Amino acid sequence: MNTKQKRLLIFGAGVIGSVYALRFAQYGLDVTILARGKRLDSLKSSGLRYKDNGTVKQIPIKTIEKLENEDIYDFIFVPVRYDQAESALSAIKNNQSNTIVTLTNTVGYDTWLEIVGDRLLPGFPGAGGDIKEDVLYAQFGSEKHQGTIFGEINGQVTERVKELAQIFESVDLHYEIQKDIQAFHVSHAALAIVNKHFYTNDGMVDIETARSESTLSKIAADIKQNIRLVKQAGIPVIPPETKSMAEWPDSDIISWYRQMLSNDFIIDVKLGNHAVSQKAEIMLLDEVFHKKLSWLNKHDHA
């Protein structure tokens, strides 16, 4: 690491923001978290509280409620839901920091680039979980392909990409520098939007319904159709594990989902409180995904 410590800001104290802030703080990095309302009060009075092997622990964390334009950070991380990304980036727009790392779902960057320009460094988080009664229950993916993913839109490995990689190495986190970040985001959205089948009009289906043949066969059909749409649009489907799912028999996708839905942590992520609050994100992502791909497929991309 460079001798001068990097200043890091996490813009948002939800699950993803909190789990990165926790890891950075545990390794002694200079990290600040922007939080509001009750979450801010809790972080100020009790620190960042988290579950560790069954015990609730806490770590003190620097907080701010508002980002001043002259308050400069080496990296600002924006781990918000897709439906909140534009308003978060608009709040950062006039701040003078050079690099803004989005950690969220998307299918394109045009509106974000209009707001923050080439300071944008798109990424995707390698973590999931929930916050219950101000205690963080979350974990990072343990394998490389579950790490934090980021990369320049033009695929170049710039100085800031190398610096960000160094930060993740220094806190022992898996990461991947993605040369085609847009293809990754579109491919990931193809899988993420099938979670819409877990929603009811006023919440989530119960675990039996989620694991039922009727729900999971819809999911299997959608996954294969969505991946086909990405391929038809001439966008590489990445990683290869996602690409291969287009060829799986439905029964394999169904049993894979059943297996995931027998893991308490995944049940919590897909069907718990955190998932309920993701409904607006998934519905918007679903709509934008289909709009974008039908547009690309209509306008000859050859």
Side-chain angles (χ1 to χ4, degrees):
M1 288 292 285
N2 304 352
T3 44
K4 182 184 168 297
Q5 203 178 21
K6 301 264 178 274
R7 289 190 80 215
L8 310 174
L9 174 68
I10 312 274
F11 193 90
V15 174
I16 305 292
S18 298
V19 73
Y20 279 93
L22 172 62
R23 178 61 74 108
F24 293 158
Q26 285 173 322
Y27 279 79
L29 270 52
D30 180 355
V31 61
T32 301
I33 193 164
L34 181 138
R36 300 200 173 101
K38 286 208 292 244
R39 185 78 182 124
L40 177 68
D41 299 340
S42 161
L43 290 167
K44 276 182 164 169
S45 62
S46 322
L48 203 168
R49 299 168 69 222
Y50 62 102
K51 200 71 176 270
D52 182 25
N53 290 327
T55 318
V56 175
K57 298 184 174 173
Q58 62 87 234
I59 190 165
I61 200 106
K62 285 195 284 194
T63 55
I64 55 172
E65 188 169 11
K66 183 174 180 287
L67 177 60
E68 301 299 339
N69 295 344
E70 286 67 47
D71 189 11
I72 311 293
Y73 294 85
D74 293 285
F75 290 93
I76 297 181
F77 297 88
V78 185
V80 299
R81 298 199 311 260
Y82 175 56
D83 55 312
Q84 301 168 326
E86 282 182 33
S87 65
L89 292 172
S90 300
I92 298 171
K93 184 179 178 176
N94 297 319
N95 177 274
Q96 301 300 303
S97 303
N98 279 332
T99 302
I100 298 167
V101 183
T102 48
L103 295 172
T104 186
N105 284 306
T106 187
V107 290
Y109 314 112
D110 294 353
T111 51
W112 297 358
L113 288 165
E114 281 168 25
I115 302 168
V116 297
D118 59 11
R119 296 181 292 160
L120 179 70
L121 181 59
F124 188 78
D130 211 345
I131 292 175
K132 297 175 196 170
E133 293 169 0
D134 277 324
V135 177
L136 178 68
Y137 295 77
Q139 61 191 40
F140 283 104
S142 52
E143 296 159 46
K144 181 175 181 292
H145 64 266
Q146 295 175 320
T148 308
I149 292 168
F150 54 92
E152 298 285 3
I153 297 169
N154 62 12
Q156 292 177 359
V157 181
T158 54
E159 273 315 301
R160 65 182 186 172
V161 164
K162 291 179 195 161
E163 282 177 11
L164 189 54
Q166 276 188 329
I167 289 169
F168 285 120
E169 276 169 26
S170 75
V171 298
D172 197 23
L173 274 185
H174 294 280
Y175 67 90
E176 182 190 331
I177 297 170
Q178 178 50 257
K179 296 285 174 67
D180 193 342
I181 190 74
Q182 174 140 6
F184 168 81
H185 267 129
V186 173
S187 304
H188 185 271
L191 300 185
I193 57 181
V194 304
N195 286 338
K196 68 183 179 186
H197 294 294
F198 293 137
Y199 294 111
T200 61
N201 289 336
D202 53 359
M204 306 299 294
V205 299
D206 56 63
I207 183 67
E208 283 72 31
T209 311
R211 298 186 64 183
S212 69
E213 194 75 22
S214 69
T215 303
L216 293 181
S217 47
K218 283 183 210 156
I219 282 182
D222 269 12
I223 283 178
K224 291 164 80 166
Q225 173 61 11
N226 293 347
I227 294 171
R228 276 198 293 273
L229 287 171
V230 176
K231 281 184 179 164
Q232 282 162 7
I235 297 170
V237 180
I238 45 183
E241 294 88 346
T242 303
K243 187 178 183 178
S244 66
M245 286 177 82
E247 312 306 325
W248 288 13
D250 288 14
S251 55
D252 285 8
I253 297 179
I254 289 169
S255 60
W256 181 58
Y257 263 80
R258 281 222 173 104
Q259 194 184 345
M260 283 200 295
L261 291 170
S262 59
N263 170 318
D264 287 343
F265 183 76
I266 290 177
I267 291 172
D268 211 25
V269 169
K270 288 206 179 289
L271 303 175
N273 300 334
H274 181 56
V276 179
S277 62
Q278 270 182 313
K279 183 174 183 177
E281 170 178 42
I282 296 298
M283 293 319 199
L284 180 63
L285 193 64
D286 183 48
E287 184 192 328
V288 178
F289 174 87
H290 285 103
K291 248 189 216 153
K292 182 185 179 95
L293 290 175
S294 67
W295 188 90
L296 286 171
N297 284 323
K298 266 210 259 336
H299 297 71
D300 189 20
H301 43 263

